[in-house]
Amino acid sequence: MNPAVFLSLPDLRCSLLLLVTWVFTPVTTEITSLDTENIDEILNNADVALVNFYADWCRFSQMLHPIFEEASDVIKEEYPNRNQVVFARVDCDQHSDIAQRYRISKYPTLKLFRNGMMMKREYRGQRSVKALADYIRQQKSDPVQEMQNLEEITTLDRSKRNIIGFFEQKDSANYKVFERVASILHDDCVFLSAFGDVSKPERYSGDNIIYKPPGRSAPDMVYLGSMTNFDLTYNWIQDKCVPLVREITFENGEELTEEGLPFLILFHMKEDTESLEIFQNEVARQLISEKGTINFLHADCDKFRHPLLHIQKTPADCPVIAIDSFRHMYVFGDFKDVSVPGKLKQFVFDLHSGKLHREFHHGPDPTDTAPGEQTQDVASSPPESSFQKLAPSEYRYTLLRDRDEL
């Protein structure tokens, strides 16, 4: 029989303290480190993944690390299944190929993934444990509102873009695709659904999806493609949810600026929907082929008085059309000319060709003057870009001046 071991009182106190500390100290969740070998498998199997793209030498990255880890601890308690929510990180110095793959232009960058698909909007909110945890909770909430009766359609907010799915069963393959699309695009549209007897009056030809555009005069549009084909369904709904001409606000200005495309902007009074409709129609008619080379935007004249002042305009001059190239701002002539065939298109082409820049510095091109008319350089200084100031702040990120820095 082994002899009993008696601890002295100081030793006993020390042992009890260690035991209590071990029991009550929370276990810190290990943040998943991604590399070329595991990134696809981990992200593809995660319902939601928040990925921190960082560099060890970046002081903003260093400040975020403990906050990111603590937020992960909080969320893991609420979503213990490892594939429900993943907090992960990428060391961009060690894995520059991954950083280039996801077009990282600043540190730290927080990007959200759903089942391996990167969301267009990165996280740009407050960098606190509560804000990050609340953001994930929001992402985990049901993206589709279920209607209990079809009368709810009459009370929809028609200032928003509404996508409504009518399904026989909630556990159907059709609804699973619809729900997945909604989880990706719920920031751009309101998604609603109805099932069974509630949806029956709208299912005369089977399950279907309709789009209700903003306003009460525009007709509904019906999706005619395969409802089990994710790509077709996603592309159709995305086309409806993300308008060709988007509104720029102070909330999304950083995101739009970071896309790196020049802005073609209509400044208009909020209540002046007629000018906006004319502009939207002309952009669709003249400039649809330029969609990948320039961002088509509209802005509230009252909210964006400073950019207007920059081009020597005031809200009283609205509607006004201008281009911000992120170097300079250029003003379209008279808004009434926007409907002249090819006029708006030529304005954008003149930006791409450099003609707008040359003319501001040197006056009209010789080819634009009448025969025999004398030409001379006209010294001019075009207004500097105003919207460039909405780009990511150097007080919040380490900005990469050249993508080759990766």
Side-chain angles (χ1 to χ4, degrees):
M1 182 174 179
N2 293 329
V5 176
F6 295 96
L7 296 175
S8 64
L9 187 59
D11 288 341
L12 181 61
R13 286 174 178 168
C14 182
S15 298
L16 288 173
L17 180 61
L18 288 172
L19 178 62
V20 170
T21 302
W22 177 77
V23 170
F24 290 100
T25 300
V27 178
T28 301
T29 302
E30 180 68 28
I31 303 296
T32 303
S33 293
L34 302 179
D35 55 39
T36 52
E37 299 296 324
N38 67 8
I39 185 168
D40 290 325
E41 179 184 357
I42 290 175
L43 294 184
N44 288 342
N45 290 320
D47 295 340
V48 170
L50 187 62
V51 181
N52 174 17
F53 293 86
Y54 72 97
D56 276 331
W57 51 262
C58 164
R59 67 186 181 94
F60 300 111
S61 296
Q62 296 165 7
M63 292 163 61
L64 180 61
H65 282 321
I67 296 170
F68 194 71
E69 290 173 358
E70 189 174 344
S72 175
D73 292 339
V74 170
I75 288 298
K76 284 297 180 185
E77 290 185 6
E78 299 177 29
Y79 302 96
N81 186 311
R82 63 177 297 179
N83 289 333
Q84 285 182 298
V85 179
V86 170
F87 276 68
R89 60 188 174 192
V90 174
D91 183 338
C92 293
D93 280 340
Q94 297 295 320
H95 304 287
S96 59
D97 54 334
I98 297 177
Q100 290 172 347
R101 173 179 171 182
Y102 294 112
R103 302 184 64 195
I104 303 304
S105 60
K106 61 190 185 305
Y107 302 136
T109 291
L110 296 177
K111 288 186 177 287
L112 186 80
F113 292 78
R114 288 185 179 277
N115 304 116
M117 178 180 287
M118 185 180 73
M119 299 298 96
K120 182 178 180 182
R121 289 186 174 90
E122 66 182 64
Y123 177 79
R124 299 174 188 268
Q126 187 179 10
R127 293 173 184 177
S128 69
V129 173
K130 182 180 184 303
L132 286 171
D134 285 346
Y135 174 70
I136 292 299
R137 293 187 190 106
Q138 180 187 13
Q139 297 302 318
K140 289 296 291 180
S141 63
D142 194 336
V144 183
Q145 304 171 30
E146 183 176 346
M147 297 186 295
Q148 301 305 317
N149 63 74
L150 295 185
E151 290 182 5
E152 293 180 36
I153 295 176
T154 62
T155 61
L156 292 178
D157 183 349
R158 294 307 298 268
S159 67
K160 297 181 178 179
R161 297 166 181 270
N162 294 280
I163 303 286
I164 308 177
F166 300 98
F167 304 94
E168 183 178 1
Q169 296 179 340
K170 193 168 186 176
D171 60 355
S172 65
N174 288 348
Y175 180 70
K176 294 300 181 186
V177 169
F178 182 77
E179 186 179 39
R180 184 182 171 195
V181 173
S183 71
I184 298 170
L185 296 173
H186 71 276
D187 288 337
D188 301 294
C189 271
V190 175
F191 286 83
L192 304 104
S193 62
F195 304 95
D197 291 339
V198 175
S199 66
K200 193 172 183 178
E202 296 289 338
R203 289 190 291 103
Y204 44 84
S205 58
D207 291 356
N208 70 87
I209 300 170
I210 66 168
Y211 165 61
K212 286 185 173 294
R216 297 193 177 275
S217 58
D220 295 348
M221 301 179 68
V222 181
Y223 175 58
L224 300 176
S226 168
M227 296 183 69
T228 56
N229 186 310
F230 170 79
D231 290 333
L232 288 178
T233 307
Y234 175 80
N235 289 335
W236 186 85
I237 294 179
Q238 183 192 44
D239 182 62
K240 307 299 176 286
C241 290
V242 182
L244 183 60
V245 179
R246 294 176 283 177
E247 181 178 11
I248 185 169
T249 64
F250 291 112
E251 289 72 27
N252 68 4
E254 180 180 295
E255 173 188 334
L256 290 170
T257 301
E258 202 173 12
E259 289 182 13
L261 299 177
F263 293 169
L264 175 67
I265 310 174
L266 168 69
F267 295 93
H268 68 108
M269 302 304 291
K270 188 173 183 179
E271 63 274 11
D272 180 13
T273 57
E274 182 182 354
S275 296
L276 174 57
E277 186 174 351
I278 291 172
F279 181 69
Q280 290 171 327
N281 290 338
E282 291 306 321
V283 167
R285 188 165 65 91
Q286 300 186 41
L287 293 169
I288 190 67
S289 61
E290 296 301 305
K291 187 177 179 180
T293 67
I294 192 165
N295 267 328
F296 309 117
L297 307 170
H298 67 100
D300 186 328
C301 285
D302 276 330
K303 291 181 180 178
F304 287 93
R305 286 172 177 262
H306 180 71
L308 281 173
L309 186 63
H310 221 53
I311 54 176
Q312 300 180 340
K313 302 288 184 181
T314 70
D317 297 309
C318 290
V320 173
I321 297 174
I323 283 176
D324 191 315
S325 70
F326 297 155
R327 291 182 61 196
H328 299 296
M329 293 187 72
Y330 309 98
V331 182
F332 184 74
D334 191 331
F335 176 77
K336 295 176 182 177
D337 291 338
V338 72
S339 297
V340 176
K343 190 91 172 181
L344 190 62
K345 186 173 186 177
Q346 189 61 53
F347 183 52
V348 171
F349 281 5
D350 287 347
L351 168 74
H352 294 325
S353 69
K355 182 178 178 181
L356 290 179
H357 187 77
R358 290 195 307 272
E359 288 192 346
F360 262 110
H361 285 292
H362 306 295
D365 279 358
T367 55
D368 294 337
T369 59
E373 183 179 340
Q374 296 228 344
T375 61
Q376 60 180 20
D377 283 358
V378 179
S380 176
S381 180
E384 292 184 355
S385 167
S386 184
F387 287 91
Q388 179 65 24
K389 297 180 177 66
L390 295 179
S393 169
E394 295 185 20
Y395 297 101
R396 182 176 167 86
Y397 301 100
T398 298
L399 304 178
L400 301 180
R401 300 301 178 186
D402 189 335
R403 292 285 169 87
D404 291 339
E405 291 184 42
L406 293 173

